[in-house]
Amino acid sequence: DIQMTQTPSSMPASLGERVTISCRASQGISNYLNWYQQKPDGTIKPLIYYTSNLQSGVPSRFSGSGSGTDYSLTISSLEPEDFAMYYCQQYDSSPPTFGAGTKLELK
Amino acid sequence: QVQLQQSGAELAKPGSSVKISCKASGYTFTSYYISWIKQTTGQGLEYIGYINTGSGGTNYNEKFKGKATLTVDKSSSTAFMQLSSLTPDDSAVYYCARSPHPGSFAYWGQGTLVTVSS
């Protein structure tokens, strides 16, 4: 199985700050990389698919990039509702696998 | 709007089985796969498998073969996952998700907590 390593595991940040979360795959995944947001109540929301495509309704402050084994999620200016868990997930190879998550916390 | 409504929390004894449901609405049920994902504090998010809601065909993560059985009832637009021979390691939140293609999860249910305890 492809291992997905997310960094950092937690990140204190301030409102309005620009933040970047990284995700590294144990082998190349040809941009087959999604990002999800999970709120404390357990609700999971897809944010980005195929590395850089925003899901419908996702604010434009979210963006994704990367290639090969290295990918990232950037939030350009943090809003209060952005403090949550974030997960990357590859679907280049079966089974699909997830990163361990990044907890974005209010500083 | 697309909704996936999962059944409520389950408390089960070791060695027993549980069956979780995921009722879909707001779209044509048989046009998308339904996938299942397990979440625990220790192991994070793990993919269990998917079912082709039109044909009933299934695909399982090797890790969950023999543990999970996926079925659908097209008449009620509901997908089911049965977990058998439960152990405490099966205690988790289980999510269903609508998949436009295997491996991608575009809409998620709210999750079902399964607790295995004697």
Side-chain angles (χ1 to χ4, degrees):
Chain A
D1 298 0
I2 293 177
Q3 306 303 311
M4 304 299 292
T5 303
Q6 258 184 264
T7 54
S9 56
S10 66
M11 175 186 287
S14 303
L15 290 171
E17 188 173 341
R18 178 186 178 93
V19 298
T20 297
I21 297 167
S22 298
C23 184
R24 173 168 288 175
S26 58
Q27 64 189 66
I29 55 171
S30 303
N31 292 104
Y32 292 109
L33 191 285
N34 298 329
W35 290 95
Y36 302 90
Q37 177 193 67
Q38 185 174 33
K39 292 294 183 73
D41 68 355
T43 303
I44 297 179
K45 176 183 177 181
L47 296 175
I48 288 173
Y49 64 97
Y50 195 58
T51 296
S52 59
N53 296 277
L54 252 58
Q55 291 280 0
S56 176
V58 173
S60 59
R61 63 181 180 273
F62 291 90
S63 63
S65 64
S67 64
T69 60
D70 295 322
Y71 299 84
S72 62
L73 171 71
T74 297
I75 309 172
S76 61
S77 179
L78 283 170
E79 297 284 338
E81 60 268 28
D82 299 338
F83 293 93
M85 286 289 292
Y86 292 85
Y87 295 94
C88 61
Q89 175 247 325
Q90 69 79 23
Y91 58 108
D92 178 62
S93 174
S94 187
T97 48
F98 293 83
T102 295
K103 186 173 185 178
L104 192 51
E105 302 171 298
L106 185 58
K107 189 185 290 183
Chain B
Q1 72 281 22
V2 174
Q3 286 194 328
L4 297 173
Q5 184 65 39
Q6 296 186 227
S7 50
E10 300 268 5
L11 174 61
K13 295 195 181 302
S16 68
S17 299
V18 295
K19 192 171 186 178
I20 302 167
S21 66
C22 171
K23 183 172 176 58
S25 60
Y27 71 97
T28 301
F29 180 65
T30 53
S31 295
Y32 296 87
Y33 301 93
I34 292 288
S35 299
W36 292 85
I37 297 103
K38 177 183 182 183
Q39 185 173 35
T40 58
T41 304
Q43 297 297 316
L45 291 160
E46 296 180 280
Y47 169 77
I48 295 171
Y50 73 81
I51 186 164
N52 181 320
T53 54
S55 67
T58 54
N59 178 275
Y60 295 94
N61 182 343
E62 283 291 330
K63 180 176 179 179
F64 293 95
K65 285 184 177 177
K67 171 61 64 179
T69 302
L70 307 183
T71 56
V72 291
D73 175 7
K74 289 189 277 189
S75 67
S76 63
S77 299
T78 303
F80 300 91
M81 178 174 68
Q82 180 162 316
L83 300 169
S84 60
S85 303
L86 291 169
T87 73
D89 286 344
D90 297 316
S91 296
V93 176
Y94 292 88
Y95 291 91
C96 63
R98 191 184 90 167
S99 295
H101 53 80
S104 218
F105 316 114
Y107 290 90
W108 293 61
Q110 82 275 23
T112 296
L113 175 64
V114 174
T115 304
V116 182
S117 173
S118 54

